[in-house]
Amino acid sequence: MLQPVALSGWQQRTLKTQRMLKTRGTNPKKVDKKEEKPPHKGYFDELRETMSRWQQSTLNTQDTDPKVDGKEEERPPRKGYFEELREIMIMPLTSADPNIPTKRVTAKYCAQKFTAPPRNVTMLSSDFIDDSLYNPAYGYFSKQALIFSLREGYNFSSFRDSSAFMDVMGDQYKEIERELDDVRGITRQLWHTSTEIFKPWYGYAIAKHIAEQYMADRKANVHDDPLVVYEVGGGNGTLMLNILDYIRNNEPAVYSQMEYRLVEISPKLARQQLIKHGSNNFVHTNAKVINQSILDWSTLESRACFVVAMELLDNFPHDVVRYDYDTGEPYQGIVRVYDDSEYEDNYEPVTDPTIRSYLAARKQAAPEYKTPALPSDLHRRIRRQLPLAPNMTKIEFIPTHAFRFLQVLGKFFPRHRVVLGDFYMLPDTVPGAVDAPVVQTRLKGTMVPCDTYMVRPGWFDIFFPTNFELLRSMYNATCRAPSSAAAGMGRARVCTQAEFVKQYGDLSKTATRSGENPMLEFYGNNKFLLS
């Protein structure tokens, strides 16, 4: 069960504001006879009278000398309205002592040193998200997340239509979730993917694309290497099995020399993938599971290869930046964790090399891209004339870890082709931010969304949409530069998931009796990056 938490900063400020307002409550005098209604006053007349009454009440208070038991009562000087308002505005976000020194940490440091979420620390926003999702002791993917998977795939021709299929899948989903809660005594979060729902046909479509592209490269004398596939973030290992089965059944000569490497950061999922090396009493001896983060990869793969990643980009941690309204200068987001586990975001000039590199690369690779966080010069000039205008823009989440992934591909997999699939649009994202994530948890079968990414580590999934058109520009500049080893392998392209399965999928296997096709219709918010 979720543990109760103390009042948040805004709740404490609300209570104090209410107490202050009560102490300033008016006490109108009763009127014995009906008074004539005064003429209507304008806004400035009423404001002038209000300020005059306030000043007069202050003078009256200072002139009186109340006595208690013959002695003068000592009272603190009366505060003006704006003094009290200023006190409310500068109230701390937490009841913890803000003067307690903090230590600057990273997600890697937390993974090595902490078995519970740390306190009295500060870290980059991306490190906070990384620690929340991937810490081996308390991260979301270490303790909460489970992937919806059935032993056998669905027989889609047995369903009347897509609605009937959804009803059956929804009942199975709830039953598995209920069993997990009963057995483990805690709420586990179950999530599903196209690979699992449409297995093996979705995996076969990806395998067909890989096989056709590989044979085309061989025919065009691009290379004469064996087929080498690296999958990053393999989940339960289902996609690995589907690809290997398809190549073995349809391209046996290619399969005989094929190598498959699955790179998985989660030790728990890596163990599951090791068990899934075989299917239908056949063991794929050419597959290997490597338990490490792809961002820590340091081994050169000089051969031509394919890099496959399904729904990996959405769980890559992002950094947070805001821009100065006057200069447009970016500031990096910092999360401070107080002693009572309350969170506060702060901003400082960009010093992180990855943030600086990403912003510079984005400007060079996609000069036409203008961040929605930074308004036009005219808008900013007008805004500066408004009273109480903020000096910084709304926040923007930037995919710095996805950028590091591209850098790893360009450096250590110089002759690769990619097959990346993920969300380009998501509902219920954090409001008031650019490229914001969905932050949610599941409690008693109900999905609970949040309006901030600063939540208790390990209890919430945090996943982001991907701007695939911007990603394509960044990929081409990073991995397909004219001087790169893969310059002759062509530029990357973007397509929707529906377009991809139309071209490579066997849609007859996923059609219902009514002709509706869930693999074609579902996940309409997914796109592919192919190179």
Side-chain angles (χ1 to χ4, degrees):
M1 295 177 61
L2 292 173
Q3 298 297 319
V5 296
L7 289 176
S8 64
W10 70 266
Q11 290 173 320
Q12 297 177 31
R13 289 197 297 275
T14 301
L15 290 176
K16 184 171 181 179
T17 303
Q18 292 173 346
R19 289 196 296 270
M20 286 185 171
L21 292 176
K22 287 180 180 179
T23 61
R24 291 203 301 268
T26 58
N27 184 23
K29 296 180 180 179
K30 294 182 179 179
V31 180
D32 295 330
K33 60 181 181 179
K34 185 175 182 180
E35 297 181 355
E36 295 183 2
K37 186 176 181 180
H40 177 72
K41 299 176 182 178
Y43 169 78
F44 289 102
D45 292 332
E46 293 186 354
L47 179 62
R48 191 180 298 109
E49 287 190 11
T50 301
M51 296 298 294
S52 176
R53 287 197 300 271
W54 190 276
Q55 293 173 354
Q56 186 62 40
S57 64
T58 303
L59 292 174
N60 293 339
T61 303
Q62 293 174 349
D63 292 339
T64 57
D65 295 318
K67 295 183 180 181
V68 179
D69 296 333
K71 297 181 180 180
E72 292 186 359
E73 179 185 5
E74 295 183 1
R75 292 184 179 180
R78 183 180 178 88
K79 297 178 182 178
Y81 170 78
F82 289 104
E83 289 179 295
E84 293 190 358
L85 181 61
R86 190 178 300 111
E87 282 190 3
I88 297 173
M89 295 295 291
I90 64 174
M91 283 181 62
L93 297 176
T94 172
S95 59
D97 185 358
N99 297 316
I100 297 177
T102 60
K103 179 181 179 66
R104 187 70 168 259
V105 298
T106 64
K108 185 171 292 186
Y109 179 88
C110 293
Q112 296 170 350
K113 300 293 185 180
F114 297 113
T115 57
R119 301 181 181 184
N120 295 323
V121 297
T122 59
M123 63 184 86
L124 282 171
S125 300
S126 60
D127 282 310
F128 178 81
I129 297 172
D130 193 335
D131 186 57
S132 298
L133 294 176
Y134 298 110
N135 187 285
Y138 50 81
Y140 172 80
F141 286 105
S142 301
K143 59 176 285 190
Q144 289 288 334
L146 293 170
I147 302 173
F148 176 81
S149 181
L150 299 176
R151 185 178 297 275
E152 299 293 336
Y154 291 104
N155 178 11
F156 288 90
S157 62
S158 66
F159 297 106
R160 181 187 68 254
D161 50 24
S162 295
S163 178
F165 165 68
M166 283 293 295
D167 291 340
V168 171
M169 190 184 72
D171 291 340
Q172 292 171 335
Y173 191 93
K174 292 177 182 178
E175 182 61 29
I176 294 174
E177 190 174 57
R178 187 161 47 246
E179 289 177 0
L180 289 171
D181 293 345
D182 292 342
V183 172
R184 302 174 189 269
I186 58 175
T187 299
R188 303 295 291 247
Q189 296 182 46
L190 193 65
W191 46 282
H192 50 80
T193 65
S194 298
T195 301
E196 296 291 347
I197 293 176
F198 305 119
K199 67 181 180 185
W201 314 113
Y202 186 80
Y204 284 1
I206 295 171
K208 183 179 180 182
H209 165 76
I210 292 173
E212 289 185 0
Q213 185 65 65
Y214 173 77
M215 299 300 289
D217 287 345
R218 290 290 297 267
K219 186 176 180 179
N221 295 320
V222 175
H223 65 80
D224 58 358
D225 297 319
L227 176 57
V228 180
V229 178
Y230 285 85
E231 183 186 352
V232 184
N236 287 336
T238 301
L239 182 60
M240 172 182 65
L241 282 182
N242 296 159
I243 293 176
L244 288 169
D245 287 345
Y246 181 90
I247 301 296
R248 178 174 63 89
N249 296 334
N250 294 275
E251 301 290 347
V254 174
Y255 178 84
S256 64
Q257 295 182 313
M258 180 182 179
E259 296 180 21
Y260 201 102
R261 303 289 180 262
L262 201 162
V263 184
E264 175 58 59
I265 188 175
S266 168
K268 180 183 69 174
L269 292 176
R271 288 191 295 269
Q272 293 179 3
Q273 293 154 6
L274 284 170
I275 298 172
K276 276 200 172 183
H277 269 195
S279 62
N280 298 326
N281 299 320
F282 183 87
V283 177
H284 294 286
T285 58
N286 53 356
K288 181 180 179 181
V289 178
I290 303 170
N291 184 204
Q292 76 167 85
S293 170
I294 189 63
L295 301 182
D296 295 330
W297 192 269
S298 59
T299 303
L300 177 65
E301 175 55 84
S302 58
R303 298 172 295 179
C305 62
F306 286 83
V307 177
V308 180
M310 295 293 107
E311 297 186 21
L312 171 75
L313 300 174
D314 62 294
N315 280 127
F316 267 146
H318 286 44
D319 272 289
V320 169
V321 294
R322 296 178 74 181
Y323 302 89
D324 185 287
Y325 259 116
D326 293 329
T327 65
E329 179 185 0
Y331 286 77
Q332 63 189 23
I334 304 296
V335 177
R336 176 171 180 176
V337 186
Y338 284 94
D339 188 51
D340 59 355
S341 295
E342 189 71 66
Y343 307 111
E344 179 183 26
D345 57 335
N346 297 292
Y347 296 89
E348 62 185 18
V350 174
T351 58
D352 181 71
T354 304
I355 297 177
R356 186 182 292 117
S357 297
Y358 172 81
L359 293 174
R362 184 176 73 177
K363 186 176 182 179
Q364 183 176 5
E368 73 285 353
Y369 178 80
K370 305 297 181 184
T371 171
L374 194 60
S376 65
D377 292 340
L378 176 61
H379 179 97
R380 286 149 61 189
R381 284 198 299 270
I382 296 175
R383 192 180 184 87
R384 282 196 292 269
Q385 307 305 317
L386 300 177
L388 303 177
N391 62 346
M392 297 184 73
T393 67
K394 60 183 176 182
I395 68 175
E396 177 186 8
F397 290 88
I398 57 175
T400 44
H401 282 221
F403 178 59
R404 288 174 56 195
F405 175 53
L406 299 184
Q407 291 177 315
V408 168
L409 294 182
K411 183 176 181 179
F412 297 108
F413 302 87
R415 300 171 63 210
H416 74 274
R417 292 188 181 276
V418 294
V419 183
L420 306 181
D422 223 306
F423 307 107
Y424 73 90
M425 179 178 61
L426 289 169
D428 300 323
T429 57
V430 170
V434 176
D435 294 333
V438 173
V439 182
Q440 64 184 22
T441 189
R442 198 170 183 86
L443 182 62
K444 296 182 179 179
T446 302
M447 195 61 69
V448 182
C450 302
D451 59 2
T452 177
Y453 71 98
M454 293 182 291
V455 291
R456 180 167 177 167
W459 287 95
F460 298 83
D461 192 7
I462 305 173
F463 55 105
F464 296 81
T466 295
N467 184 332
F468 272 83
E469 287 66 33
L470 179 59
L471 176 68
R472 176 182 56 198
S473 298
M474 299 291 288
Y475 174 85
N476 287 332
T478 306
C479 303
R480 290 293 190 266
S483 59
S484 68
M489 300 179 74
R491 311 277 280 181
R493 64 185 177 93
V494 174
C495 67
T496 65
Q497 179 164 304
E499 293 169 340
F500 182 86
V501 297
K502 276 183 181 179
Q503 184 174 356
Y504 299 106
D506 185 351
L507 296 180
S508 66
K509 301 297 185 181
T510 55
T512 61
R513 295 197 303 271
S514 69
E516 294 178 339
N517 199 309
M519 188 167 73
L520 190 61
E521 299 163 1
F522 292 7
Y523 292 92
N525 59 336
N526 277 27
K527 284 185 177 181
F528 275 80
L529 180 74
L530 307 171
S531 68

